[in-house]
């Protein structure tokens, strides 16, 4: 009888391109290093904040690369199919016996190491995800459980001393070029801990002073008592949108918010951190290309006694809840280490690809578990499942919050006096729980109520990987009936603008829908309303509704007035000569915004690809769509203004009037404005007839 022996399966690694994207091919670890294939690994550094020391491990003598030399706290390959963060946590647990949650790991940068050792038999072309775990104090050495096949010893060393040894190419230490990309590790630590609180507060105050605080006040006299009660419930529901949005921006964002809030009164700098955080709704500054204004140094302290072996007299491991210096491009909609290639390879295997690209799903990994916030995602909740990635509908991912919001909206709907508002509130509440927003968005477009409400997932700016995923937001205001009536003609004549666009007729739509325009005075907003405030929006973004019904616009008049007063007027005073400065007025500013928003609704939306398949501009442009769409609306909006002025000029000539410029007095009278609107309406009717 033959002796039984254990079969050791060699670890397989995903083969990458030279730019670090997955090829869809995996090979045994030995073959990867033999052939010099590009692959991925993780570096995990443990940094003790109180002593400014890094933990080093001594590699076991049996290792096939750099045996017996001092190296990173913990490191290892990312096995085929595994994620970076899962690998980082696993390596730390296996090599050092430390078990930490995901928020302990701060992704600092990605480092490409290209070298050949062992007389040319070991080729290392490795993309390393470099993580930092920041502990408050050094971990007692007796708390570690070392993996003998990997690690022979550990020690702490000042990060500056360690860098000096690397710069001298000390043979006892695995070499890293500290004059190259790997010096980022030392630069980040140095910069983070060398800044004093006074300097940080001065910087934050300068950043805060770029914003002008404005109070939103409006009369509620036109609302019934029941509508006022409904308004109170709607605002409570809007506040729930804030809770969801914080979570959508970044997984640990709610915890950071709570920590900063609790500590806001501790000092002037803590107060400034809190104020600027609340403006940006995250640790990244909207006005500074999302540069981080906080670091893990500013974050919450967590205690996990069970993270290591128990040591007498030591309360356990305390760490700083980490966040990435670079804002995650996929926010919290995708796994943080997922790249576009991995997504596309996975998506193409799905029978229902729309689930992956839906506005209303998040993408998760089986290997990272199913917990996303305070609740657990069950394995049966996802809509599409193959490989490591899977989808979770918003109605499941944010169930705790959406159930609360739905209850509030149903109660408000029962109280609302307007039938269309009742319909909107009830249908939106249903959509929160069903994840089907079509009917509720139609109800929003048909809203005809003094109390105006926009609430739900709409804009996709946070998803800078693809531009697929929608963030929750809310805008609550009082409709300005007079201003709304004055702007009606703009929305009614989009087809005229479409037909006269300076582009090939093949790309023009023949069935542009009338775009309702509502002018409101904002009372409250929440959710995705961080940083600079919007003055208008054109929704929905769902291409099914755009095709069937078009879009609708909401203009925030009091916000526009505040922007004009605090931003445009000071700029005009500084840049425009006195003779022309008096021609800068709010009506012109507001009209320009109207044309911008109207022009979101025209131009190509549904398109035919070269292979004959139908698609949309949004889906094909992916993450580029938002910026290009805004640029399109800017340029086409200016074209539309010029086109409308020409239409009026033509009508004036037909009526026998010359083109003598109006006096300033005439330019600013309501009579002149009404005449202009009448002439414009007549000229557009002529355009309808001639076309």
């Amino acid at each position: 009888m033959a002796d039984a022996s254990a079969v050791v399966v060699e670890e397989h690694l995903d083969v990458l391109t030279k730019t670090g994207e997955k090829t869809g091919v995996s090979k045994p670890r030995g073959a990867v290093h033999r052939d010099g294939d590009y692959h991925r690994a993780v570096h995990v550094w443990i940094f003790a904040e109180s002593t400014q020391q890094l933990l080093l491990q001594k590699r076991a003598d049996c290792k096939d690369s750099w045996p017996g030399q001092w190296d990173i706290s913990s490191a290892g390959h990312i096995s085929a199919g595994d994620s970076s963060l899962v690998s980082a946590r696993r390596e730390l647990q296996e090599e050092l016996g430390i078990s930490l949650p995901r928020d302990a790991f701060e992704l600092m940068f990605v480092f490409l190491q290209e070298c050949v050792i062992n007389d040319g038999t070991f080729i290392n072309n490795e993309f390393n995800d470099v993580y930092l775990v920041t502990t408050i104090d050094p971990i007692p050495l007796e708390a570690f459980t070392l993996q003998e096949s990997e690690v022979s010893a550990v020690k702490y060393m000042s990060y500056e001393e360690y860098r000096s040894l690397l710069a001298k190419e000390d043979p006892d230490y695995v070499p890293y070029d500290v004059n190259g990309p790997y010096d980022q590790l030392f630069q980040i630590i140095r910069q983070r801990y060398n800044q004093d609180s006074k300097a940080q507060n001065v910087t934050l105050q300068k950043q805060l002073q770029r914003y002008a605080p404005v109070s939103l006040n409006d009369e509620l006299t036109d609302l019934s008592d029941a509508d006022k009660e409904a308004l109170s419930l709607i605002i409570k529901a809007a506040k729930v949108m804030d809770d969801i949005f914080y979570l959508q921006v970044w997984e640990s964002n709610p915890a950071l918010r709570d920590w900063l809030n609790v500590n806001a009164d501790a000092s002037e700098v803590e107060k400034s951190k809190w104020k600027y955080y609340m403006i940006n709704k995250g640790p990244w500054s909207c006005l500074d290309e999302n540069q981080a204004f906080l670091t893990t140094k500013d974050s919450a302290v967590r205690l996990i006694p069970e993270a290591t072996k128990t040591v007498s007299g030591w309360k356990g491991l305390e760490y700083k809840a980490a966040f990435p210096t670079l804002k995650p491009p996929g926010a919290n909609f995708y796994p943080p280490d997922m790249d576009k290639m991995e997504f596309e390879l996975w998506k193409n295997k799905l029978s229902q690809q729309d689930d992956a690209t839906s506005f209303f799903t998040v993408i998760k990994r089986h290997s990272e578990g199913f917990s996303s916030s305070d609740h657990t995602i069950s394995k049966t909740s996802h809509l599409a499942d193959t490989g490591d990635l899977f989808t979770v509908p918003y109605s499941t991912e944010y169930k705790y919050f959406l159930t609360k919001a739905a209850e509030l909206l149903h109660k408000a709907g029962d109280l609302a006096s307007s039938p269309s508002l009742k319909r909107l509130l009830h249908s939106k509440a249903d959509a929160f729980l069903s994840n089907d927003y079509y009917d509720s968005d139609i109800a929003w477009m048909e809203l005809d109520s003094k109390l105006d409400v926009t609430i739900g997932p709409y804009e996709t700016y946070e998803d800078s990987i693809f531009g697929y995923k929608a963030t929750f937001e809310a805008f609550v205001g009082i409709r300005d009936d007079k201003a709304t009536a004055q702007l009606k003609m703009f929305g009614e004549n989009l087809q005229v603008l479409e037909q006269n666009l300076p582009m090939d007729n093949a790309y023009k739509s023949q069935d542009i829908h009338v775009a309702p325009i509502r002018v409101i005075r904002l009372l409250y907003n929440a959710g995705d309303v961080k940083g600079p405030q919007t003055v208008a929006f054109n929704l929905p973004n769902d291409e099914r509704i755009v095709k069937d019904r078009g879009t609708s616009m909401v203009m925030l008049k009091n916000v526009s007035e505040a922007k004009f007063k605090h931003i445009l007027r000071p700029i005009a005073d500084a840049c425009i000569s006195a003779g022309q400065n008096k021609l800068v007025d709010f009506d012109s500013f507001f009209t320009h915004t109207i044309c911008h928003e109207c022009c979101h609704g025209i131009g190509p939306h549904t398109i035919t690809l070269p292979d004959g398949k139908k698609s949309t501009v949004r889906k094909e442009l992916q993450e580029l769509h938002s910026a290009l769409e805004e640029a399109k609306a800017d340029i086409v909006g200016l074209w539309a203004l010029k086109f409308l002025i020409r239409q009026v000029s033509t009508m004036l000539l037909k009526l026998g009037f010359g083109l003598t410029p109006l006096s300033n007095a005439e330019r600013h009278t309501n009579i002149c404005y009404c005449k202009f609107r009448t002439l414009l309406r007549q000229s557009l009717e002529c355009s309808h007839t001639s076309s």
Side-chain angles (χ1 to χ4, degrees):
M1 185 174 181
D3 291 335
S5 60
V7 177
V8 178
V9 179
E10 186 176 6
E11 180 183 24
H12 276 60
L13 308 178
D14 286 319
V15 176
L16 309 180
T17 66
K18 288 187 177 182
T19 56
E21 294 185 321
K22 289 184 178 179
T23 62
V25 175
S26 66
K27 292 170 62 174
R29 176 182 179 278
V32 165
H33 284 291
R34 179 197 66 208
D35 300 337
D37 294 314
Y38 286 83
H39 58 284
R40 293 180 72 197
V42 291
H43 289 186
V44 182
W45 286 101
I46 295 178
F47 175 72
E49 193 174 64
S50 63
T51 60
Q52 301 285 286
Q53 291 177 313
L54 290 168
L55 179 75
L56 303 179
Q57 67 155 266
K58 191 173 186 180
R59 297 171 65 84
D61 291 335
C62 60
K63 296 292 291 180
D64 59 2
S65 59
W66 298 285
Q69 292 179 288
W70 290 98
D71 198 6
I72 302 155
S73 307
S74 176
H77 290 102
I78 300 176
S79 299
D82 281 354
S83 73
S84 173
L85 189 52
V86 164
S87 300
R89 295 175 68 193
R90 182 185 63 238
E91 292 297 331
L92 198 61
Q93 198 282 324
E94 290 179 353
E95 294 186 356
L96 302 181
I98 301 175
S99 297
L100 288 173
R102 292 188 294 183
D103 70 351
F105 295 80
E106 177 183 359
L107 180 60
M108 308 288 279
F109 56 93
V110 178
F111 164 66
L112 174 58
Q113 186 177 30
E114 296 173 299
C115 63
V116 180
I117 60 174
N118 298 351
D119 297 324
T121 61
F122 191 98
I123 306 172
N124 197 43
N125 291 324
E126 197 168 75
F127 285 93
N128 297 286
D129 292 345
V130 181
Y131 290 92
L132 186 70
V133 173
T134 301
T135 63
I136 303 303
D137 298 306
I139 302 168
L141 298 185
E142 56 268 36
F144 294 102
T145 302
L146 304 184
Q147 184 180 17
E148 292 182 2
S149 62
E150 297 285 338
V151 185
S152 61
V154 292
K155 67 177 180 180
Y156 274 98
M157 178 181 288
S158 159
Y159 78 91
E160 291 287 14
E161 181 184 355
Y162 175 56
R163 186 190 181 283
S164 176
L165 291 170
L166 292 179
K168 296 174 183 176
E169 299 182 1
D170 190 301
D172 290 335
Y173 295 82
V174 175
Y176 295 100
D177 183 6
V178 292
N179 295 314
Y182 214 82
D183 194 40
Q184 291 177 81
L185 171 68
F186 304 98
Q187 289 177 2
I188 290 170
I189 294 174
R190 189 181 301 117
Q191 181 179 5
R192 182 171 295 181
Y193 290 95
N194 283 351
Q195 184 183 36
D196 62 34
S197 59
K198 279 190 176 181
Q200 186 178 17
N201 192 48
V202 168
T203 300
L204 287 167
Q205 285 298 316
K206 288 179 179 178
Q207 290 174 310
L208 282 164
Q209 289 166 10
R210 295 180 295 182
Y211 289 91
V214 175
S215 297
L216 298 178
N217 299 306
D218 204 78
E219 294 294 330
L220 303 180
T221 52
D222 291 338
L223 297 183
S224 66
D225 289 341
D227 281 341
K228 290 177 183 177
E229 191 175 347
L231 172 61
S232 176
L233 293 167
I234 292 166
I235 289 177
K236 288 180 180 179
K239 291 179 179 179
V240 177
M241 300 302 103
D242 254 342
D243 291 329
I244 299 176
F245 179 68
Y246 279 110
L247 185 57
Q248 288 185 305
V249 169
W250 165 56
E251 182 180 26
S252 297
N253 206 23
L256 178 61
R257 174 196 60 193
D258 296 343
W259 172 265
L260 293 172
N261 186 18
V262 167
N263 290 279
D265 293 329
S267 66
E268 286 302 313
V269 68
E270 294 299 330
K271 186 179 295 183
S272 297
K273 290 177 190 176
W274 172 241
K275 287 181 178 179
Y276 201 54
Y277 174 88
M278 288 301 291
I279 289 174
N280 293 279
K281 296 194 172 183
W284 302 282
S285 176
C286 298
L287 289 179
D288 299 295
E289 302 293 333
N290 288 320
Q291 181 179 346
F293 61 90
L294 298 176
T295 70
T296 299
K297 173 189 172 185
D298 306 301
S299 194
V301 177
R302 304 280 177 81
L303 170 64
I304 303 188
E306 66 276 12
T308 67
K309 285 192 304 187
T310 302
V311 176
S312 177
W314 182 55
K315 63 182 177 180
L317 193 153
E318 285 185 296
Y319 71 92
K320 288 287 187 75
F323 62 85
T325 303
L326 297 178
K327 188 174 185 294
N332 196 23
F333 302 121
Y334 310 93
D337 60 345
M338 186 202 78
D339 59 34
K340 296 184 73 170
M341 178 67 75
E342 181 185 7
F343 180 89
E344 294 295 345
L345 290 171
W346 165 71
K347 177 174 71 78
N348 292 337
K349 296 177 183 176
L350 300 178
S351 57
Q352 295 291 329
Q353 295 188 7
D354 288 346
D355 295 340
T357 60
S358 167
F359 286 113
F360 316 123
T361 63
V362 297
I363 312 300
K364 291 186 172 292
R365 291 190 187 279
H366 288 298
S367 59
E368 291 185 358
F370 307 108
S371 178
S372 65
S373 57
D374 295 335
H375 58 285
T376 299
I377 308 297
S378 68
K379 288 186 178 181
T380 58
S381 70
H382 54 269
L383 302 177
D385 178 9
T386 179
D388 193 28
L389 300 178
F390 66 98
T391 62
V392 180
Y394 280 6
S395 54
T396 301
E397 176 73 352
Y398 311 119
K399 184 177 180 179
Y400 170 80
F401 301 109
L402 291 176
T403 300
K404 182 179 178 181
E407 291 173 356
L408 290 165
L409 290 187
H410 274 311
K411 289 179 181 178
D414 291 339
L415 292 167
S417 60
S418 163
S420 65
L421 182 58
K422 280 181 177 288
R423 178 189 168 203
L424 169 64
L425 296 175
H426 286 304
S427 62
K428 189 65 71 174
D430 292 339
F432 283 164
L433 303 183
S434 69
N435 217 52
D436 183 354
Y437 287 88
Y438 188 93
D439 289 342
S440 68
D441 281 341
I442 295 296
W444 176 80
M445 294 183 69
E446 296 175 348
L447 181 61
D448 183 12
S449 167
K450 190 70 177 178
L451 180 56
D452 198 279
V453 179
T454 301
I455 187 168
Y458 285 108
E459 303 291 5
T460 62
Y461 300 117
E462 286 296 308
D463 178 4
S464 59
I465 295 181
F466 292 109
Y468 290 154
K469 307 304 177 184
T471 50
F472 283 82
E473 61 184 29
F475 294 86
V476 184
I478 302 297
R479 187 177 65 191
D480 184 327
D481 292 328
K482 181 179 179 182
T484 297
Q486 289 176 338
L487 301 184
K488 189 177 179 181
M489 65 175 179
F490 285 97
E492 290 176 341
N493 289 282
L494 290 186
Q495 188 66 63
V496 175
L497 294 175
E498 177 81 17
Q499 290 170 353
N500 286 276
L501 282 172
M503 65 181 187
D504 193 293
N505 288 334
Y507 301 108
K508 297 178 183 178
S509 176
Q510 300 303 314
D511 55 353
I512 295 292
H513 300 275
V514 171
I517 302 177
R518 307 197 294 267
V519 181
I520 71 170
R521 302 192 71 81
L522 186 68
L523 296 174
Y524 187 83
N525 64 6
D528 190 0
V529 292
K530 63 178 186 175
Q533 298 297 288
T534 187
V535 296
F537 47 87
N538 184 305
L539 298 171
N541 290 319
D542 189 332
E543 296 290 355
R544 299 173 304 163
I545 299 176
V546 173
K547 181 180 179 181
D548 296 344
R549 300 291 297 271
T551 60
S552 183
M553 283 162 274
V554 175
M555 314 294 296
L556 311 180
K557 192 170 184 181
N558 53 343
V559 179
S560 296
E561 290 168 344
K563 290 241 184 185
F564 180 80
K565 176 182 177 182
H566 293 285
I567 300 175
L568 190 62
R569 172 53 66 191
I571 291 174
D573 291 343
C575 300
I576 298 179
S577 64
Q580 296 206 3
N581 196 354
K582 55 190 176 183
L583 302 179
V584 178
D585 60 20
F586 174 74
D587 285 341
S588 301
F589 173 67
F590 198 54
T591 302
H592 173 258
T593 305
I594 294 165
C595 283
H596 168 97
E597 294 300 330
C598 282
C599 289
H600 278 304
I602 63 176
H605 284 276
T606 300
I607 57 175
T608 303
L609 302 177
D611 61 4
K613 292 182 180 179
K614 293 289 185 181
S615 186
T616 65
V617 174
R618 173 184 291 274
K619 185 173 288 187
E620 296 306 314
L621 288 178
Q622 296 183 354
E623 79 278 10
L624 302 177
H625 178 266
S626 291
L628 289 174
E629 174 61 30
E630 293 302 325
K632 177 207 102 175
D634 279 338
I635 300 302
V636 180
L638 292 173
W639 166 85
L641 283 170
K642 187 176 181 180
F643 171 80
L644 295 174
I645 291 170
R646 282 180 173 173
Q647 292 295 106
V648 172
S649 298
T650 301
M651 177 61 70
L652 287 170
L653 288 172
K654 287 182 178 179
L655 294 174
F657 292 97
L659 296 181
T660 304
L662 297 172
S663 69
N664 289 335
E666 292 173 320
R667 191 186 302 273
H668 290 89
T669 61
N670 285 330
I671 295 175
C672 175
Y673 182 64
C674 291
K675 285 182 178 179
F676 175 82
R677 288 196 300 111
T678 301
L679 290 170
L680 179 56
R681 188 182 299 278
Q682 291 173 349
S683 66
L684 290 171
E685 287 172 355
C686 291
S687 296
H688 271 302
T689 304
S690 63
S691 59

